[in-house]
Amino acid sequence: MTVPAASVSGRQRAAAAVALLTAALTVVLAAAVTISDFPEGLGVLGCVAIALGAAWFGVVRGGRQRGAGIAVAVLALMGAAALLIRNGSWLPLMLLMLGIAIWHTAARAAFQAHVHLPAADRPRRPVLFVNPWSGGGKAAEVGLADEAAARGIKTVELHRGDDLEQLVRDAVAAGADGLAAAGGDGTQAIVATAAAEHGLPYACIPAGTRNHFALDLGVDRDDVVGALDAFVDGGEHIVDLGEVNGRVFVNNVSMGLYAEAVQSEGYRDAKIRTLLDTAPTVLGPAGSELDLRWNSPDGVAHASAATILVSNNPYRLGRAVGSGTRPRIDTGQLGVAVVPARGQDGTAGHGPSSLLRQWSTQAFRIDSAQPVPLGIDGEAVVLDPPIRFRTRPRALRVRIAPQHPGASPSAMQPDRAGDGFRALAAIAAGRVPTTDVLHREDHRTNEEL
C-alpha cells in the first residue's frame, strides 16, 4: 500500500541520492583521516559518527528533539574540529562539516512529499463560507473575500446567529457546484458534510487557528489566499469522513481527559500526543472513574479509560516528525487511541507511553450508563450512549491547490532510523516507500459491531 496518488519527484530522487552518497563519502573521508592521523584520528571518526547520527536524528524527529539532534551534531563537529585544527588539517575539516550539513539538508528534502493529484474541472458556481472570527480574523486580514471574487468564487460571510448548515443548504439549492470553508475545523466539518452529501467538490481554506484538517490534507496553512486556487486549477483527492452517532467529523472525537481539555480555555494549545502520553500521570494513582466501556481488538472488555480518541484515519503518535498528524485520510479506517484508566489490567503503569494502545478499525462502540461528554473536532458535545463510530470511506472530493503539498507532513516520514535509510534508498530509486516501512502500526480490526 502506497501513499495515494503519490509519485517521487525528480527533486526528491536527487535529494535522496545526494543524502546517501554524502553520508557514504563523509564516512570514507573520516576513515581516511583516522588512518592518516592515527591515533588522534580515532577521535575524529567517533565525533563524525556522532555528528552523522545526531544530524539524522534531526531529520526524523520533530520539535525539541530535532533541535537537540542538531545541537549534538554541532558539538560533535566542534570536537572533530579541535582535533583536526591541532594537526593543521583544515581541508578535511571543511569537507566533513560540509558533508554532514548536506546530508542533513538533502535527507529532509527527500521526505518532503508533494503529491501530484489528478486534474479536475473548475466549478462554475463555487461558494466560499467564511467564519470571520476564526483565527483571530485571519480571513479579513488577508482580504480573502476580494481574492475569492477575483477567482470567480462567491463569498458568504457568517454573522452572529447565522445557521451555517442552513446557509450551505440554501447555496446548494441555488446551484452551487463547489463548496469551500474558511474557518476552524468545526466550520470545515459542516461544509464538508454538505459537500459529501451532494457529491460536490470541497476546498479547505486554512483561516482557522490550528487548521489540523488542512495540514493532514496537504494544504499549506501559511498560504490562505493560495488555497483558493483549489477551485481554479487544483487537483482532486477523495478522502474519508468519520461519523459518530450520525454526526460527521473530519479530525477526531475525544472522551475522557482530552474531552475535558476541550472544555477548558487553553485546550487549543494541548497537543493530542502530549495529552495521551501524560494522561496516566495526570490522573494519579487512584485512576479514572469515567464510565467508558469498550472492547480492545483482542476482545477483552474494559470498564473505563483515561482517554479515548477516535479519529478519521489513524494519527501518527510518538516523537517522530509529523507526530500528531495522519499520514493518510483515505484508508477507510478509523484510528483508535486509548490510555487505559490507571491501575487497569492490574498494573500501576510504569510509564505513560507504554500504556497507550492504538489500532485501526472500521467501527467502534463505547457504552456508558450516563450521557458522555465528547470533544468533536474541538467542539464540546454531550451524546447519549451507546456511542457508535463508523467510517465513511471515500466520501469527500477534496480539491487542493497545485502549489500546495497535497500530502500530510508524515506521509513519507519514517518512524525509525533504520526504516529511514530504507525509505531514502526507495526514494532514490524512484519508488514511493511502502507503508510498512514508513508507519509500523497495529492494524487489527475490532469486530465488536
Side-chain angles (χ1 to χ4, degrees):
M1 186 180 298
T2 57
V3 179
S7 61
V8 176
S9 67
R11 178 189 61 83
Q12 285 179 284
R13 289 190 66 181
V18 168
L20 292 171
L21 180 61
T22 303
L25 291 176
T26 302
V27 171
V28 169
L29 177 58
V33 170
T34 301
I35 295 172
S36 63
D37 292 343
F38 188 84
E40 289 86 352
L42 289 174
V44 174
L45 181 62
C47 289
V48 169
I50 293 172
L52 280 171
W56 177 241
F57 196 78
V59 172
V60 298
R61 299 298 189 188
R64 294 179 181 177
Q65 292 187 333
R66 168 177 286 174
I70 294 174
V72 170
V74 171
L75 290 174
L77 283 175
M78 290 175 63
L83 294 170
L84 289 172
I85 290 174
R86 187 170 61 182
N87 294 335
S89 303
W90 288 96
L91 181 59
L93 171 61
M94 298 302 296
L95 290 175
L96 288 171
M97 294 179 67
L98 181 62
I100 292 174
I102 292 175
W103 150 248
H104 174 79
T105 304
R108 288 195 62 187
F111 290 127
Q112 292 176 355
H114 189 116
V115 175
H116 299 284
L117 299 170
D121 294 334
R122 179 174 182 171
R124 296 181 179 181
R125 301 183 65 182
V127 178
L128 167 67
F129 296 89
V130 177
N131 184 337
W133 308 286
S134 292
K138 189 181 297 184
E141 181 181 334
V142 300
L144 193 62
D146 292 339
E147 294 287 352
R151 292 166 172 81
I153 303 172
K154 178 183 177 181
T155 297
V156 175
E157 183 174 298
L158 297 180
H159 299 89
R160 299 292 182 187
D162 281 349
D163 183 341
L164 177 57
E165 293 185 25
Q166 185 60 53
L167 291 175
V168 176
R169 285 195 293 268
D170 292 344
V172 173
D177 60 352
L179 302 176
D185 289 329
T187 300
Q188 301 292 344
I190 292 174
V191 178
T193 300
E197 289 176 353
H198 296 280
L200 301 177
Y202 154 87
C204 178
I205 312 302
T209 301
R210 296 296 179 185
N211 304 298
H212 289 140
F213 191 44
L215 178 68
D216 292 343
L217 286 173
V219 176
D220 184 347
R221 296 186 295 178
D222 296 324
D223 185 18
V224 179
V225 171
L228 293 169
D229 292 336
F231 277 164
V232 177
D233 55 356
E236 184 166 288
H237 183 192
I238 303 179
V239 303
D240 309 332
L241 293 173
E243 179 186 303
V244 53
N245 285 19
R247 173 171 171 166
V248 167
F249 60 95
V250 296
N251 288 331
N252 60 72
V253 177
S254 55
M255 290 144 283
L257 179 67
Y258 193 72
E260 293 177 10
V262 169
Q263 321 268 340
S264 67
E265 183 177 352
Y267 86 93
R268 292 186 184 274
D269 294 322
K271 296 181 179 179
I272 292 172
R273 180 181 60 78
T274 301
L275 283 167
L276 288 171
D277 281 351
T278 60
T281 302
V282 172
L283 290 170
S288 171
E289 300 300 328
L290 296 174
D291 178 21
L292 298 173
R293 298 192 293 274
W294 54 282
N295 288 354
S296 52
D298 55 9
V300 175
H302 302 263
S304 186
T307 295
I308 299 178
L309 185 126
V310 181
S311 55
N312 173 29
N313 284 261
Y315 277 97
R316 183 179 187 183
L317 303 175
R319 296 177 175 80
V321 172
S323 293
T325 66
R326 291 161 289 182
R328 297 178 57 175
I329 319 182
D330 65 348
T331 66
Q333 296 283 307
L334 299 171
V336 182
V338 179
V339 175
R342 196 171 184 92
Q344 193 169 316
D345 300 327
T347 177
H350 297 290
S353 298
S354 63
L355 293 180
L356 175 62
R357 300 180 179 182
Q358 186 179 12
W359 68 92
S360 300
T361 180
Q362 294 180 342
F364 186 61
R365 170 172 171 160
I366 295 175
D367 290 296
S368 180
Q370 56 193 2
V372 179
L374 307 94
I376 303 179
D377 285 336
E379 179 184 352
V381 176
V382 177
L383 296 180
D384 291 327
I387 311 299
R388 298 177 182 269
F389 297 88
R390 73 179 184 95
T391 182
R392 293 187 183 180
R394 298 180 59 81
L396 183 63
R397 299 168 51 197
V398 177
R399 298 288 175 85
I400 307 289
Q403 70 272 24
H404 288 186
S408 166
S410 57
M412 297 185 72
Q413 284 285 354
D415 279 336
R416 304 178 183 180
D419 294 339
F421 283 103
R422 292 169 57 197
L424 275 179
I427 293 171
R431 303 192 308 272
V432 176
T434 54
T435 305
D436 62 322
V437 170
L438 295 178
H439 312 292
R440 299 180 182 274
E441 298 178 1
D442 179 2
H443 290 288
R444 293 173 293 178
T445 301
N446 188 338
E447 300 289 348
E448 69 175 301
L449 295 183

